[in-house]
Amino acid sequence: MRRVIAFLIVGVAIVAAAWALAMLPGHVSASFGVYHIETSASIAVLAMIVAFFIGVLLLWLLIWLITLPMAGAAWRRRSRVRQGERAITQVLLALAAGEDRIARREARRVRQLLGDSPQTLLLAAEAGRLGGREDEAEEAYKTLIRRDDGKFLGYRGLLRQAIDRRDWKQADALAREAEAARPGTTWLRIQRAELAVQTNAWAEAAELTEASPQRIVYCIAAAEVDPDPVRALAYAKQAWRLDPAFTPAVLAYARLLRTAGKERRALAAVAEAWRKAPHPDLAAFALASAKTPAERYQAAKRLVVPNPTDPASRLLLAKTAIEAGLTAEAREQIEAARAAGVNQRRLWLLSAELAEAEKGDTEEGRAAQRDAYRQAAVAEPDPTWQCSNCRAETPLWAPRCATCDHVGTLQWHTATAEVTLPVIAGATPVPAA
Ligand SMILES: [Zn+2]
C-alpha cells in the first residue's frame, strides 16, 4: 500500500514538473557561427537536462575504460589467491595423509600462485622432506633464511636436517644462528641441550637444563672433565646438592674436595651419603686414607655409625674385620646379614674368606670354603651398575652407557631394589618437533 502511495506521489510530481516546464513562459535564442537556434524556454530547459545526463553518462564510460586494465589485474590477482589457497589446503591434506607426490606438486603450485612467503616456503620444505627430497627442503629453508621474517624458520629447518644427519658440528652452528635470529625460545633451548649432550659439552648441557632431572648427570660429567679445579668443584657441588645420596654425585664432590685439601668436608659428605644410601664405592673412598687393616676396620666402624644394621654396613665391617684378623667380629656380621635375608654372591665370598682366615689350609677349612663357593654360585648377583635401556652391566658408573650410548641410564641395580634415575634417550635422534 505504501509503495502504491509513493508511486502515485512520484507520478504526480513528474506530471506537475512536466506541466510546469511546459507552461514556462518566454523563449531562448542562441547563435553559434552560422548556426542560429531559436526555441521556447521549456524546450531549452529540457535540452539542458538531457545534455547533463548525457555528460554524466560519458564521464562514467571514460572512467570505466581507464580503470578496466587495473580491474582486470585485480580480478586475476584475486583468482590466483583463491587458487593458491585451495592448493595450500591440498598440500596440508597431502602432508597429513603422507602423500608426498601430491604434497610436492601442490606445494610447487602454491609457490607459483602465491610467490615465496614464509608460509609457502615452509610448506614446500615439509613436502620435500616428506618425499625424502632433502635438497628441495634445504633450498626452501635457505630461501627462508634470506628473508627477515623467515630467518628463524629457515635455521630451524636446517637444524632439524643436520640433527637427522647426526652432523652435530653443523647442528651446533645452526642452533647458534637460530638463537641469534630469535633468542630465548624454549624449543631451541631443548634442542641445544640435546646437542650439548650429543657432543659431550656437559657444562653447556647443565646450563641449558635447569629443571631437568638429568641435570645431575650433566653436572657430574662436567665436573669430571673440566680442567679448572674451581669450576669442576662448583659443578660437583651442584650435582651433590641435587641429590646428596646419589653415589656418583657424592664421589665427584668428595674427590674434588679431597684434591682441594678439604678432607673433613669430603668425609662428611660421604658419611651422609652412606647414611642414606650405602654403596661400596663410598666405603672405598672413606677408607682410602687408612694405612693399616686395623685403621681400615676403625674407619669402617666410624662410617657405619648411623646405620650399623644395614646389610651394606655389616658386609663392610665383616670384610675389614677379616683383613684386620678380627674373625669373630666378621662371623657375627656375616651371620647377622644372612639372618636379615642377604643372599648375595659377595656375602658367600666373604664367608669363604672367613673360613680360610679362621681355619687355614685344613680339611675343615677347605670344606667350609667349598661350601661357601657352592652357595656363591647359586646366590643372588651382587648389586652393580646396570643400563636401564640396554641392560648392560658395568662395574663403574659413567654419564653415558658404553654399550648403547644412552645418557643417564646407568642405575645401581640390586636383586631387590633399584636406585632409579629418569631416562633420556641420549643416543637416539633428537625428536624433530
Ligand atoms: Zn645401555
Side-chain angles (χ1 to χ4, degrees), residues 232-420:
L233 184 62
Y235 282 123
K237 192 172 184 180
Q238 281 182 47
W240 173 71
R241 280 203 171 138
L242 286 168
D243 186 355
F246 184 50
T247 303
V250 180
L251 286 177
Y253 183 46
R255 281 189 197 116
L256 286 159
L257 282 173
R258 178 172 276 173
T259 310
K262 296 170 181 169
E263 183 71 13
R264 277 169 66 96
R265 276 173 64 189
L267 290 176
V270 166
E272 176 65 11
W274 185 274
R275 190 175 66 78
K276 290 174 177 162
H279 188 283
D281 292 350
L282 295 171
F285 182 91
L287 272 53
S289 50
K291 289 184 181 66
T292 63
E295 278 178 23
R296 283 172 59 78
Y297 174 67
Q298 290 305 325
K301 272 185 86 171
R302 283 196 299 278
L303 182 67
V304 306
V305 165
N307 51 0
T309 55
D310 190 287
S313 296
R314 291 203 182 281
L315 291 177
L316 175 66
L317 284 176
K319 185 164 179 55
T320 50
I322 293 170
E323 287 164 5
L326 304 167
T327 51
E329 163 73 2
R331 176 158 298 285
E332 192 185 313
Q333 295 296 345
I334 287 172
E335 279 171 5
R338 277 179 63 185
V342 178
N343 180 31
Q344 292 171 347
R345 191 174 298 129
R346 55 183 179 169
L347 178 130
W348 294 108
L349 293 179
L350 274 179
S351 277
E353 256 184 74
L354 178 64
E356 192 187 1
E358 273 183 333
K359 293 163 184 138
D361 191 17
T362 60
E363 186 54 41
E364 194 191 355
R366 282 196 294 276
Q369 279 187 61
R370 276 199 301 277
D371 184 52
Y373 286 132
R374 261 199 302 278
Q375 297 279 10
V378 293
E380 289 167 8
D382 290 341
T384 185
W385 293 106
Q386 189 185 57
C387 175
S388 61
N389 181 56
C390 71
R391 299 284 154 198
E393 290 183 356
T394 167
L396 294 174
W397 183 88
R400 192 185 288 281
C401 170
T403 307
C404 71
D405 217 30
H406 276 49
V407 172
T409 50
L410 290 182
Q411 300 170 353
W412 186 240
H413 180 83
T414 64
T416 48
E418 259 180 25
V419 178
T420 52

Side-chain angles (χ1 to χ4, degrees), residues 148-156 174-189 192:
D148 281 343
D149 56 357
K151 257 190 178 46
F152 178 75
L153 289 172
Y155 284 124
R156 185 182 186 276
L174 287 164
R176 281 167 208 283
E177 296 281 7
E179 178 71 34
R182 199 181 174 91
T185 62
T186 308
W187 175 84
L188 195 56
R189 209 176 161 80
R192 285 184 59 203

